[in-house]
Amino acid sequence: MANGCGLDTDRAALLARYDLDAGGFSALDQITEFASALCDAPIALVSIVEDERQRFLARTGLDAEETPRDVSFCAHAMMDSAIFVVSDATSDPRFRDNALVLGPPHIRFYAGAPLLDREGVPLGALCVIDERPRDDLTPLQRQGLALLARHVMVVLEGRRRDQDVIAQQIRDAEALAQSDRLFRTLADTMPQMVWSTLADGYHDYYNARWYEYTGVPEGSTDGDGWAGMFHADDREKAWECWRRSLATGEPYDVEYRLRHRSGEYRWTLGRALPIRDGEGRITRWIGTCTEIHEQKLMLEEREVIAHELSHRIKNIFSVISGLIGLSARAHPQIRDIADDLRDRIMALGRAHDFVRPHGDDASVEGQRGGLRGILEQIFAPYNDEKGSRIAFSGENPAIDDRSATPLALLFHELATNAAKYGALSVPGGRIHIAVERTGGDIRITWREEGGPVVTPASHEGFGSRLMQLSVERQLGGEMVREWRPEGLKISLRVPFRSMSRTAAGTV
């Protein structure tokens, strides 16, 4: 019957998952003993039906450990959905010529409960056998035998789960080993130095490139031995950054000088990212070391050159201002024009001074980078004993050399006009500057109050054309003037990308 259902094809593979050959079925021995007593039968068996035989995992009242399958009563019982009963085997045409009926153990009565796995596949039966014919089991005995069969499967399924777990662990270990082999192969072919640590930061792997670059013996930098490869001046910085990454899970990113196999310390960029499991726990860190020595030296040389050029440009502004002053003294009739021109050149000089390289000069660095910094420099001459007469509010967008010059010229002209005709021409006058970002634009509002009543100019002068040129041509924005009785109001719109290269990259 089992053959007819095609169960033999993978029966061996299925039964192998229960690890039946390992033995250790004492719990099943207790079940057969109880089944024998419950059913008042001299023999009770846990039978597993295989392709060629039936084996007895547990038995009471029988010495044999197995029999051929072709004489198995259990091969029939396991295919039944309920308890399979043979009242008198000698009168049953299926079994009356069976060797187990004609000879020992002289089966007359048989009752078997099927053993079904969790997918419903039959494995065998829990049976009781008597050498005397019997009509049937009592209802209680039927109920008990079915219950005991389920307990047999609890034991067997536990064994199967253990085997499945072991098999999965073996597969996982093999997959991990394969992954590790692939990782090491890939890492050893990379031009970068690659390293790996455990979750607690213990360095347990370096690729071939690391040992080639540093020239140290393999394994000598495991653990915390890597720190000894850094320049003494960089060691604490690298350690502090690494400890912070371990504590927070943030990426590791630091520059330091690493000892080359030649003995020279060369600038290196160290980076690492955490590897997390499905629950977000860090299981490992993977890092790289990339030599940046030549780039670092090139940047230092470039900075020196930039400082020198900046210094010379600053000197040129001073020379031009000096020449204008000499010309004004030689030709008094052009003094007013010369003074305006010199003031504009000095504004450009302040703009240049604001954005030029300053190295490690912290006193200057704190003022650099934002619109407010350059405006405070331009408006400094208009402060009185009470402080600044110009109030700032809103954002402080970053600027650089692309926007500093037109902004310096624009606000220098506004401040000059305000000092001559507007709010800064009287002691109580004030100016409010509000800055906000709306979408892709920076909007700046210049509002004067407390000054004399202003009226539109009868014609557009050089200063007005200069402001229009700075805003529209150089910054790609627009400027709107409102001649209000309480003071001039100017609304500026400047594309955010025009303020700095950094801003252009974020739009």
Side-chain angles (χ1 to χ4, degrees), residues 130-200:
D130 200 337
E131 68 276 10
R132 296 177 292 105
R134 297 167 57 173
D135 291 334
D136 201 347
L137 296 176
T138 67
L140 179 62
Q141 289 171 337
R142 278 180 167 269
Q143 181 181 5
L145 192 63
L147 180 61
L148 291 174
R150 288 195 291 272
H151 277 284
V152 170
M153 288 311 305
V154 168
V155 174
L156 295 181
E157 289 297 334
R159 178 73 69 96
R160 177 176 168 178
R161 281 192 298 272
D162 292 343
Q163 286 300 107
D164 288 347
V165 168
I166 293 172
Q168 185 61 48
Q169 289 173 340
I170 293 174
R171 288 193 295 270
D172 290 345
E174 291 174 347
L176 183 61
Q178 176 65 10
S179 175
D180 185 64
R181 286 192 295 271
L182 291 174
F183 168 75
R184 290 173 182 264
T185 301
L186 176 63
D188 282 340
T189 61
M190 292 179 65
Q192 288 177 304
M193 292 169 274
V194 179
W195 48 270
S196 175
T197 81
L198 303 178
D200 60 3

Side-chain angles (χ1 to χ4, degrees), residues 94-116:
R94 294 170 296 179
F95 303 107
R96 60 189 175 196
D97 296 326
N98 190 296
L100 302 180
V101 175
L102 299 176
H106 300 288
I107 298 175
R108 296 296 180 268
F109 175 78
Y110 172 93
L115 300 176
L116 307 177

Side-chain angles (χ1 to χ4, degrees), residues 268-443:
T268 304
L269 173 62
R271 286 177 171 170
L273 291 173
I275 304 298
R276 300 179 184 272
D277 61 16
E279 298 180 357
R281 291 187 296 263
I282 295 175
T283 59
R284 181 165 284 277
W285 289 80
I286 303 295
T288 61
C289 298
T290 306
E291 186 190 292
I292 56 171
H293 193 71
E294 299 301 328
Q295 298 95 307
K296 192 81 171 177
L297 295 181
M298 187 181 302
L299 288 175
E300 291 175 355
E301 292 175 1
R302 185 182 300 173
E303 186 174 350
V304 171
I305 295 172
H307 274 278
E308 179 63 23
L309 289 174
S310 179
H311 179 69
R312 294 188 181 189
I313 292 172
K314 185 69 175 176
N315 286 342
I316 290 174
F317 283 128
S318 298
V319 170
I320 294 174
S321 296
L323 291 174
I324 293 173
L326 287 174
S327 298
R329 286 193 291 273
H331 303 280
Q333 69 273 18
I334 66 168
R335 179 176 297 278
D336 290 343
I337 297 175
D339 288 344
D340 283 345
L341 181 58
R342 183 171 54 192
D343 287 345
R344 290 186 176 109
I345 290 174
M346 294 304 293
L348 291 177
R350 285 192 293 271
H352 170 75
D353 190 64
F354 182 77
V355 298
R356 72 184 177 90
H358 289 276
D360 296 327
D361 187 353
S363 63
V364 178
E365 283 295 323
Q367 302 299 321
R368 294 181 60 223
L371 175 63
R372 185 170 299 183
I374 192 172
L375 295 184
E376 288 175 348
Q377 290 191 36
I378 291 172
F379 298 140
Y382 303 100
N383 294 342
D384 57 21
E385 65 278 0
K386 296 181 180 179
S388 176
R389 299 172 63 188
I390 301 173
F392 300 93
S393 63
E395 300 190 34
N396 183 30
I399 65 172
D400 59 15
D401 57 316
R402 69 161 56 186
S403 60
T405 297
L407 288 171
L409 288 174
L410 167 66
F411 284 101
H412 169 75
E413 293 298 324
L414 288 174
T416 299
N417 290 337
K420 289 180 179 180
Y421 316 111
L424 298 182
S425 66
V426 296
R430 291 179 63 82
I431 296 174
H432 297 272
I433 300 176
V435 183
E436 66 173 341
R437 180 176 180 182
T438 58
D441 296 328
I442 292 293
R443 295 189 178 272

Side-chain angles (χ1 to χ4, degrees), residues 61-84:
L62 185 70
D63 292 333
E65 297 180 354
E66 62 180 64
T67 67
R69 175 171 174 165
D70 59 6
V71 297
S72 171
F73 281 62
C74 293
H76 296 264
M78 71 179 187
M79 303 306 298
D80 207 322
S81 59
I83 293 178
F84 178 75

